[in-house]
Amino acid sequence: MAHGPEDDPHKFRRRGVLFVLSSPSGAGKSTIARKLLEAEPTLGMSVSATTRPMRPGEVDGKDYHFVDLERFRDMVSDHEFLEWAHVFGHRYGTPRAPVDAMLHSGQDVLFDIDWQGAQQLFQIAGGDVVRVFILPPSMEELHRRLTSRATDAPEVIDARMARAAAEVSHWDGYDYVLVNDNVDRCFECVRTILAAERLKRSRQTGLIGFIRGLMTAT
Ligand code: 5GP
C-alpha cells in the first residue's frame, strides 16, 4: 500500500487511504463523491457489485456492476469481496481486486458504502481506513431531495426514509460526521479531511529515512 509522493507536499512515500463516504441516500453523498474524484487525480473510485435493478441513467460498470443473485453468491464464495452486505433488500459488495490494483498503482480509494461496509472494511484494514458520515440538515430536506430526484417509486422513497433514521443511528462508527447543508462547503470539508489524513504521521512510511538523514547531517 505504499504510495508515490506526487500528492504529498513533502514528497514522502506513504500508505494509501481507504476513504469511506456513507450517508442516508439523498444526503448528497454522490455529488460530493463526484466532485472529490474530479478534484483529486490520485483518488480512484471503488465500483461496487449489486443485485439491485439498474435505475434509469445508471451505467453498468460505472455506477455499479449489476449482477444477478447467482453471480453475487459465486463472488462471495470465491472471496472476491472485501466486504458485502444486505441493503434495502438487495446485496451490495466491494470487489477486492480493483481496490488492490488502485492501491498498488499509488492511488487512494473512495468507497460509497453503508455503515456495515465501513465496519467490515475497518476490521480488515484498520488504520488505513478513514470513515466519513454525511448527514442531511433535516429529515424534511432529505425527503424533499429524494422526491425531487424522481428516480424511485413513492414506496421506495418511503422505505428509504424509514431506513434513514436507522442509518443515522450508526453515526458513532465514523471518524468524521458532517452536515450537508451546503454542498460546496461540505465538499471542502471532505477534501480537507482527505488532505489531512494523507499527511498523518502513521501513513508517512518515507518519513523515517528523511528523519535519519536530518539527524546524521550534522
Ligand atoms: P443505492 O441503491 O441507493 O445506490 O445504494 C444504497 C446503499 O448501499 C447506499 O447507502 C450505499 O452507500 C450502499 N452501498 C453501495 N455499495 C455498497 C457496497 O459495496 N457495500 C456496502 N456495504 N454498501 C454499499
Side-chain angles (χ1 to χ4, degrees):
M1 291 193 189
H3 275 214
E6 54 295 312
D7 57 356
D8 179 340
H10 303 307
K11 310 288 177 245
F12 298 135
R13 287 184 67 76
R14 65 171 175 81
R15 297 180 66 79
V17 179
L18 305 181
F19 200 75
V20 175
L21 275 187
S22 301
S23 75
S25 64
K29 175 186 51 182
S30 311
T31 309
I32 288 169
R34 183 177 42 74
K35 285 168 77 78
L36 200 59
L37 288 167
E38 281 166 13
E40 299 287 347
T42 58
L43 184 68
M45 182 81 205
S46 165
V47 179
S48 297
T50 183
T51 58
R52 97 148 151 69
M54 210 188 281
R55 292 193 193 120
E58 285 185 326
V59 178
D60 188 24
K62 181 171 172 285
D63 297 290
Y64 284 104
H65 301 287
F66 293 94
V67 298
D68 60 20
L69 189 53
E70 193 184 350
R71 171 79 186 114
F72 196 96
R73 285 189 171 136
D74 285 347
M75 292 175 82
V76 172
S77 53
D78 292 342
H79 306 286
E80 288 183 40
F81 289 125
L82 266 179
E83 64 76 35
W84 72 273
H86 292 271
V87 188
F88 300 128
H90 301 292
R91 288 163 212 224
Y92 295 79
T94 301
R96 183 190 304 272
V99 174
D100 288 345
M102 282 186 271
L103 289 171
H104 200 71
S105 72
Q107 286 192 297
D108 298 309
V109 185
L110 178 62
F111 300 85
D112 173 345
I113 57 180
D114 79 337
W115 65 272
Q116 304 171 84
Q119 201 174 62
Q120 291 177 58
L121 214 57
F122 187 74
Q123 278 163 8
I124 299 165
D128 290 330
V129 181
V130 178
R131 297 157 297 175
V132 180
F133 195 68
I134 298 175
L135 295 172
S138 68
M139 290 316 238
E140 291 76 25
E141 175 60 16
L142 186 70
H143 189 267
R144 198 194 61 73
R145 289 179 192 172
L146 285 176
T147 313
S148 68
R149 200 158 74 169
T151 49
D152 287 321
E155 57 273 19
V156 174
I157 292 174
D158 289 348
R160 281 172 189 269
M161 285 301 294
R163 276 288 300 235
E167 288 181 72
V168 166
S169 73
H170 296 284
W171 65 277
D172 58 351
Y174 288 79
D175 305 299
Y176 301 88
V177 179
L178 304 172
V179 178
N180 181 14
D181 47 9
N182 174 304
V183 74
D184 290 329
R185 203 163 50 216
C186 191
F187 161 67
E188 284 306 330
C189 289
V190 172
R191 201 173 176 199
T192 304
I193 292 167
L194 177 61
E197 289 285 346
R198 281 173 165 168
L199 291 169
K200 248 189 176 165
R201 178 171 62 87
S202 54
R203 296 208 161 83
Q204 308 286 325
T205 50
L207 186 59
I208 293 172
F210 179 74
I211 302 277
R212 282 201 188 117
L214 286 182
M215 288 166 61
T216 55
T218 52

